[in-house]
Amino acid sequence: MSRPLVAVSHGTRDPRGQAAIRALVGAVRRRRPDLDVREAFVDVQAPDLGAVLDRAGPAAVVVPLLLAPGYHVHVDVARAVAAAGAVAAPALAPDDGIAAVLVDRLRGCGAGTDDTVVLAAAGSSDVRARPAVEETACRVAALWGAPVEVGCLGGTGEPLHAVLARSRRPRRRVVCAAMLMAPGFFHDRLRSAGADLVTGPLLDGRRPDPRLVGLVVERYEAALAATLAGSGVISG
């Protein structure tokens, strides 16, 4: 019997974000109809991860629908997983598929290689999230063929407004690639930050990109394989 996949996200009060995450979880279910896929949250929304793990038990494999291993991964998810004796996969980034989706978003919003590109992340109070963001910027830059700056909407790291200010050049646009999972508070802030162009979030209200769906399944399979090999919990 397959082990439950618990897809845990941050949670949001924004109905657009709720629908986007729900669509991703639904797409994972369709990709792997053999799996018991359950949804959980670390904040704002119910059901709480701890409550879901109470029902799923130690067989559960938790996949964070989070882009960087910050506080929620290292504290909220880690505590709930440890209490349940379950196993957790890493955060979704860095990953080549995410970088490719971000580049597609740049092209889709009309960005060109003459534009200055800034990867805009939510940011985290946990400095352990920053390498994932920096590595994502490097992967986007490699695919885009030009340097990519990094700016954060909150937490540690260089503030986005400061990055935008120093990135301004005469007759050159500044474009923000949104390293954000879904519509909501942070993407609304990003749209009003002053960039010339802003991409949509990774889950932009359309059918979830197959690369994101596949990544969730890959994280599950890798965590399960490590567990069966006796490696225990994979940390982000």
Side-chain angles (χ1 to χ4, degrees), residues 114-115 169-173:
D114 289 336
D115 297 322
R169 300 289 186 276
R171 298 180 297 278
R172 187 168 186 171
R173 298 183 303 183

Side-chain angles (χ1 to χ4, degrees), residues 204-228:
D204 59 0
R206 297 175 291 184
R207 184 175 181 179
D209 191 290
R211 290 167 290 192
L212 300 178
V213 180
L215 177 57
V216 175
V217 174
E218 288 169 15
R219 288 286 191 262
Y220 167 86
E221 292 175 342
L224 180 58
T227 303
L228 295 176

Side-chain angles (χ1 to χ4, degrees), residues 84-120:
V87 61
L92 297 181
D95 179 78
D96 287 340
I98 286 178
V101 174
L102 287 166
V103 168
D104 285 349
R105 294 283 189 272
L106 285 167
R107 293 177 178 140
C109 81
T113 53
D114 289 336
D115 297 322
T116 297
V117 174
V118 177
L119 183 71

Side-chain angles (χ1 to χ4, degrees), residues 6-9 62-67 73 77 88-92 216 219:
V6 178
V8 59
S9 55
V62 176
V63 180
L65 304 184
L66 301 166
L67 293 175
V73 169
V77 173
L92 297 181
V216 175
R219 288 286 191 262

Side-chain angles (χ1 to χ4, degrees), residues 22-36:
R22 191 162 53 244
L24 176 59
V25 175
V28 171
R29 288 191 179 107
R30 290 190 294 276
R31 176 74 66 94
R32 287 292 302 270
D34 58 309
L35 293 181
D36 175 10

Side-chain angles (χ1 to χ4, degrees), residues 1-27:
M1 180 180 295
S2 62
R3 297 173 64 164
L5 186 165
V6 178
V8 59
S9 55
H10 182 278
T12 177
R13 293 183 178 86
D14 192 307
R16 299 168 299 168
Q18 293 175 1
I21 294 296
R22 191 162 53 244
L24 176 59
V25 175

Side-chain angles (χ1 to χ4, degrees), residues 61-199:
V61 177
V62 176
V63 180
L65 304 184
L66 301 166
L67 293 175
Y71 180 88
H72 292 301
V73 169
H74 287 293
V75 178
D76 294 327
V77 173
R79 284 176 179 169
V81 166
V87 61
L92 297 181
D95 179 78
D96 287 340
I98 286 178
V101 174
L102 287 166
V103 168
D104 285 349
R105 294 283 189 272
L106 285 167
R107 293 177 178 140
C109 81
T113 53
D114 289 336
D115 297 322
T116 297
V117 174
V118 177
L119 183 71
S124 173
S125 59
D126 191 327
V127 296
R128 290 173 290 184
R130 288 168 60 181
V133 178
E134 297 287 349
E135 175 61 23
T136 298
C138 290
R139 297 188 189 202
V140 171
L143 293 174
W144 187 245
V148 173
E149 300 272 2
V150 174
C152 297
L153 289 158
T156 63
E158 188 173 5
L160 178 64
H161 66 82
V163 177
L164 293 179
R166 66 173 174 77
S167 298
R168 287 288 176 192
R169 300 289 186 276
R171 298 180 297 278
R172 187 168 186 171
R173 298 183 303 183
V174 178
V175 183
C176 280
M179 187 180 170
L180 301 171
M181 200 67 187
F185 174 77
F186 282 108
H187 194 259
D188 289 345
R189 282 188 59 192
L190 175 56
R191 289 191 300 171
S192 63
D196 296 298
L197 294 173
V198 175
T199 72

